[in-house]
């Protein structure tokens, strides 16, 4: 155990701390990686193509893209696609990506979870873990 305050005292002090408001970090949005802003985060490059496939009722083509994202794309691309789909109102598409991703091997699921958390997508990371653990 670390020296210093006794555990009970430290726990009491921790419980008395008011919840902190989000802190705006001094890193410029376009130069740093610690702040995310939907207005400045780049969209997933293939978002318009996916939207067009849904709009023209090419659902099988769209499903193929979602399967690829969830099952084979890099963690970074998958995370970006999930965020872009959510921002564009394609919530079912984002959920489908997470479903396919949950079927990956454990290391790929952990890698994607880490990426989602780093990209401040805590809810998506939680859904991914729930789906993976339930399968």
């Amino acid at each position: 155990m670390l020296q210093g305050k006794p555990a009970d005292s430290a726990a009491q002090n921790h419980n008395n701390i008011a919840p902190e408001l989000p802190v705006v970090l001094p890193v410029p949005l376009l130069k740093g990686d610690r702040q995310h802003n939907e207005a400045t985060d780049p969209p997933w490059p293939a978002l318009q193509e996916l939207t067009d496939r849904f709009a023209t009722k090419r659902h099988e083509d769209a499903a193929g893209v979602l399967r690829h994202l969830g099952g084979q794309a890099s963690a970074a691309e998958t995370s970006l696609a999930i965020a872009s789909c959510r921002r564009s109102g394609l919530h079912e598409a984002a959920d489908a990506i997470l479903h396919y991703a949950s079927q990956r091997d454990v290391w790929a699921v952990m890698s994607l979870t880490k990426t989602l958390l780093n990209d401040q997508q805590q809810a998506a990371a939680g859904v991914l873990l729930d789906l993976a653990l339930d399968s």
Side-chain angles (χ1 to χ4, degrees), residues 2 6 30 32-33 49 60-61 71 74-75 79 82 90-91 97 103-104 107-108 115 117 119 123 125 133-135:
L2 295 174
L30 298 177
D33 63 348
E49 183 179 335
E60 289 181 20
D61 291 345
S74 71
S79 177
I82 291 167
L90 298 175
H91 299 286
I97 296 168
Q103 298 171 4
R104 289 185 180 191
W107 295 108
T115 301
L117 292 172
D119 291 347
L133 291 170
D134 288 343
S135 61

Side-chain angles (χ1 to χ4, degrees), residues 41-118:
D41 283 348
W44 173 55
L47 179 64
Q48 186 59 52
E49 183 179 335
L50 181 65
T51 303
D52 291 345
R53 288 179 186 194
F54 281 122
T56 58
K57 303 206 185 303
R58 294 182 305 174
H59 299 290
E60 289 181 20
D61 291 345
V65 172
L66 300 177
R67 272 192 301 276
H68 168 75
L69 286 164
Q72 299 170 344
S74 71
E77 182 179 8
T78 302
S79 177
L80 182 58
I82 291 167
S84 294
C85 286
R86 292 261 188 247
R87 282 194 301 267
S88 299
L90 298 175
H91 299 286
E92 289 181 10
D95 291 341
I97 296 168
L98 289 166
H99 169 76
Y100 292 123
S102 73
Q103 298 171 4
R104 289 185 180 191
D105 68 72
V106 67
W107 295 108
V109 170
M110 288 193 306
S111 175
L112 179 54
T113 300
K114 179 181 177 185
T115 301
L116 290 167
L117 292 172
N118 287 341

